[in-house]
Amino acid sequence: QVQTVESGGGLVQAGGSLRLSCAASGRTASRYTMGWFRQAPGKEREFVAAISRSGGSTYYADSVKGRFTISRDNAKNTVYLQMNSLKPDDTAVYYCATGPARIDTPSREYEYHYWGQGTQVTVSS
């Protein structure tokens, strides 16, 4: 079974940056799409970004496009989410997920079979 462990969350001021990391166990490298989702208090979990198996294709939610960058290092079984120009609305628990999701339809949660425990990102005004 694949396990994912997120790290890099924390408290930052608006306009600041954070880089989240997700280390995956098992045979994740080159096999699965990897994605980031987030859930704010009182809200449903929402898609943030995804990256294809090879890292050649990425997809972003409109709310983060131009500010966030997803990347992966298959040799390290790790996916990253570089978050710049953070806003208070970005405050949420961020989850790393992986599975056979298609990069052209990357927001289907049921296509991500493995989920991490989440890491808290808090952006202050």
Side-chain angles (χ1 to χ4, degrees):
Q1 297 294 312
V2 174
Q3 297 183 28
T4 56
V5 180
E6 303 96 333
S7 63
L11 174 64
V12 298
Q13 293 185 344
S17 298
L18 283 174
R19 189 177 76 159
L20 305 184
S21 298
C22 174
S25 65
R27 300 177 62 187
T28 299
S30 300
R31 292 187 65 191
Y32 298 125
T33 296
M34 300 191 76
W36 289 95
F37 293 76
R38 66 187 183 187
Q39 187 168 24
K43 297 183 179 180
E44 296 295 317
R45 187 165 55 198
E46 65 177 357
F47 169 77
V48 176
I51 188 166
S52 63
R53 296 183 301 277
S54 67
S57 298
T58 58
Y59 200 89
Y60 299 92
D62 288 342
S63 60
V64 306
K65 194 172 185 178
R67 299 188 296 119
F68 291 9
T69 302
I70 188 171
S71 61
R72 68 189 297 165
D73 184 342
N74 285 346
K76 295 182 172 64
N77 267 355
T78 301
V79 64
Y80 305 95
L81 185 68
Q82 178 66 45
M83 305 185 295
N84 298 327
S85 301
L86 284 163
K87 305 174 180 179
D89 286 347
D90 295 319
T91 295
V93 176
Y94 283 70
Y95 297 92
C96 174
T98 187
R102 292 174 59 92
I103 196 63
D104 57 339
T105 55
S107 62
R108 296 172 177 176
E109 293 186 17
Y110 61 85
E111 294 183 346
Y112 294 86
H113 297 172
Y114 308 100
W115 294 78
Q117 82 289 348
T119 185
Q120 177 71 48
V121 172
T122 302
V123 184
S124 62
S125 300

